[in-house]
Amino acid sequence: MKGTAFITGATSGFGDAIARRLSLDGYKIIALGRRKERLEKLAGELGNTHIIAADIRDKKAVFDAVKNLPENFKDIEVLVNNAGLALGQEKTIDASIEDFETMVDTNIKGLLYSTKAVLPIMTQRKSGYIFNLGSVAGHWPYPGGNVYGGTKAFVKQFSYNLRNDLLGTGIRVTEIAPGICKTEFSEVRFGGDKAKADAVYEGVEYITAEDIAQIVLNCLNMPHRVNINVVEAMATQQTWAGLFIEKK
């Protein structure tokens, strides 16, 4: 049996797929998410899983949960900072400031909470692997990406800076930046409008959550001397839109 993998946002999408793949590979799982019934279902299917029903935005809940982990789940080898979301795709002037705040609180502050809570365990063990789920939206701009893209750009730069801070600890850090992938992401973004969400993926052989889980495992299986700084993964049918020039 390997050590423990702590996965945030484990109730759907990337988080669920990563939990399942790492469990299959022999890791114990700590699954954090807001929807307790989904966590219980996941734990029942996987076994050897400790669930934390909490919102990643709740700083006290995150730190308390890590502090009070059962003894047999304290050997955290892997942290997957997956919890995140996009809300809306309006232009900045038309978008909701509350949506902006939710994205900042989840995608930035939540990632900081889980990282700060787990780092003392990893540094004491002098080993570990941190995966931060970014996005191509944090590397490249697109209309309506505004604050979501900004939060994911933070994930990218924080991952680089975290690597510098962890030099000499044996802890590896990788940002994974997926492109178009069909999960609950677009449904959340468009306020539960399934038709609007489905339209995003029409005619596209998109990335799957299982593809991202495989990338995580591939990175883990690299020799310890190798740190993969960033993996930017797009669907084969997706590429950059190119620079836009407004013509009068």
Side-chain angles (χ1 to χ4, degrees), residues 85-97 99-101 103-104 107-108 136-154 189:
L85 79 170
L87 294 172
Q89 205 171 2
E90 300 87 359
K91 292 182 179 179
T92 303
I93 194 170
D94 299 318
S96 159
I97 190 68
D99 284 352
F100 286 174
E101 290 171 336
M103 287 186 280
V104 169
N107 301 353
I108 295 179
V136 293
H139 297 192
W140 310 99
Y142 65 85
N146 44 64
V147 169
Y148 173 68
T151 63
K152 291 304 185 178
F154 170 88
R189 181 170 218 168

Side-chain angles (χ1 to χ4, degrees), residues 8-27:
T8 70
T11 57
S12 66
F14 297 149
D16 178 271
I18 293 168
R20 293 177 186 279
R21 190 65 187 84
L22 295 190
S23 175
L24 188 64
D25 202 57
Y27 287 90

Side-chain angles (χ1 to χ4, degrees), residues 56 62-63 81 106-118 154 158:
I56 196 66
V62 173
F63 277 86
N81 282 314
T106 306
N107 301 353
I108 295 179
K109 293 167 71 174
L111 180 146
L112 294 178
Y113 298 157
S114 50
T115 302
K116 281 285 285 179
V118 169
F154 170 88
F158 177 68

Side-chain angles (χ1 to χ4, degrees), residues 129-136 138-139 152-153 155-157 159-160 173-178 227-232:
Y129 207 137
I130 298 173
F131 292 92
N132 292 328
L133 266 292
S135 169
V136 293
H139 297 192
K152 291 304 185 178
V155 173
K156 174 185 177 182
Q157 192 61 33
S159 299
Y160 288 161
V173 181
T174 296
E175 184 216 1
I176 299 179
N227 191 99
I228 307 297
N229 295 330
V230 58
V231 177
E232 184 181 275

